[in-house]
Amino acid sequence: MMTEPHIFQAFDRDLEAVQALIMKMGGMVEAAILDAAQALETRDEELAEQVRRNDAAIDALEERIQAEAARLIALRSPTATDLRTVLTVIKIAAALERCGDYAKNLAKRSVVLGQLAQVGDSTGSIRRMANAVELLLKDALDSYIHRDAQLAAEVRQRDREVDQMYNALFREFLTHMMEDPRNITACMHLHFIAKNIERMGDHATSIAEQVIYLVTGNLPEEPRPKADMTASSIGMPAQGAD
């Protein structure tokens, strides 16, 4: 009969394996975000297509993580902190998968935008916003690995900076459309891209909140800091991913 220490050791090994998959998936998503933004800025259709193809690998990894986490719960019956850890893994994997989808959407629209006239320096601004979100996601994952609730709380606050970048882009797109109706099609695609990146920031923040829950046993009580003012400015809900 397996002794209790052996059971704990087996659980720890299984959990470490799942966490390694999480970090691998995180690295793939971070690369997808940066590559998609670069493809948009440089009009690199080959790179955009690579981002689209790689999303299947991200999806497959998420399915594997979910299956391994479910197996851990079924076979090891974790309790207390161990159970919180497995549940956190499941939610982080789901958030990363959504970020991968948004990166794929960005790549798809970049191909369309490559056939349209450039609108100011909007693609450069979007790349800078994508860089900020990629760093946000990286820090959220680092906070998970190191069980750093303070870093997770900082990530949660920094999402406001992403919202402010999105607000500035939204106003910029409105200005370009009003100045020249020929910009409307490109600006609509650019707006969807910017909104997708803003949503990636929200998912990074969700990961940070899960880390806080994992470390403290409680989700943050105060409302999530938000600075997206675009919905109120046009009197309708902000658009999500397509």
Side-chain angles (χ1 to χ4, degrees):
M1 183 174 179
M2 187 176 290
T3 64
E4 192 170 273
H6 287 160
I7 293 174
F8 290 149
Q9 289 170 9
F11 175 83
D12 289 342
R13 284 196 303 270
D14 290 346
L15 186 58
E16 286 176 6
V18 173
Q19 290 181 142
L21 293 177
I22 280 285
M23 297 315 295
K24 178 180 179 181
M25 185 179 181
M28 293 169 67
V29 171
E30 289 173 29
I33 294 170
L34 297 180
D35 287 347
Q38 180 181 337
L40 173 66
E41 186 175 29
T42 61
R43 301 196 165 204
D44 188 335
E45 292 190 16
E46 184 176 342
L47 182 57
E49 182 57 32
Q50 179 182 320
V51 172
R52 294 174 63 180
R53 288 195 306 268
N54 289 349
D55 185 59
I58 293 173
D59 291 345
L61 198 50
E62 192 258 349
E63 290 178 5
R64 182 179 172 189
I65 291 168
Q66 300 288 5
E68 289 295 319
R71 187 181 67 84
L72 264 178
I73 292 173
L75 294 181
R76 308 299 182 193
S77 300
T79 59
T81 301
D82 287 340
L83 179 58
R84 288 208 305 270
T85 301
V86 177
L87 295 176
T88 298
V89 163
I90 291 172
K91 292 186 177 182
I92 290 176
L96 289 173
E97 190 275 335
R98 289 303 295 140
C99 288
D101 285 346
Y102 287 127
K104 180 180 71 173
N105 287 345
L106 198 165
K108 286 166 59 179
R109 289 184 183 273
S110 72
V111 174
V112 177
L113 283 162
Q115 312 305 316
L116 302 173
Q118 193 97 359
V119 180
D121 183 39
S122 53
T123 57
S125 299
I126 284 175
R127 178 184 52 77
R128 289 187 287 275
M129 184 180 175
N131 288 346
V133 166
E134 185 271 337
L135 182 58
L136 205 66
L137 183 60
K138 178 182 181 299
D139 286 346
L141 292 170
D142 282 349
S143 75
Y144 168 70
I145 289 298
H146 299 294
R147 304 296 193 266
D148 189 339
Q150 180 58 43
L151 178 57
E154 292 173 7
V155 168
R156 195 168 180 265
Q157 292 295 324
R158 281 162 47 202
D159 185 49
R160 287 179 59 89
E161 299 171 11
V162 175
D163 290 342
Q164 290 165 352
M165 295 173 79
Y166 168 68
N167 292 337
L169 278 169
F170 180 80
R171 290 191 294 269
E172 180 182 331
F173 298 149
L174 284 180
T175 300
H176 284 303
M177 287 189 287
M178 288 187 292
E179 288 178 347
D180 188 345
R182 290 173 296 182
N183 290 328
I184 290 176
T185 298
C187 284
M188 289 301 293
H189 283 291
L190 289 165
H191 170 250
F192 275 112
I193 285 173
K195 187 60 186 176
N196 283 178
I197 297 173
E198 187 270 336
R199 289 294 294 135
M200 292 182 201
D202 288 343
H203 283 293
T205 304
S206 294
I207 292 173
E209 289 175 342
Q210 288 303 313
V211 173
I212 293 171
Y213 166 71
L214 174 62
V215 174
T216 67
N218 296 292
L219 287 168
E221 294 183 359
E222 68 277 9
R224 180 183 296 186
K226 292 297 293 178
D228 177 2
M229 307 301 293
T230 59
S232 59
S233 69
I234 59 176
M236 63 182 294
Q239 295 292 324
D242 53 355

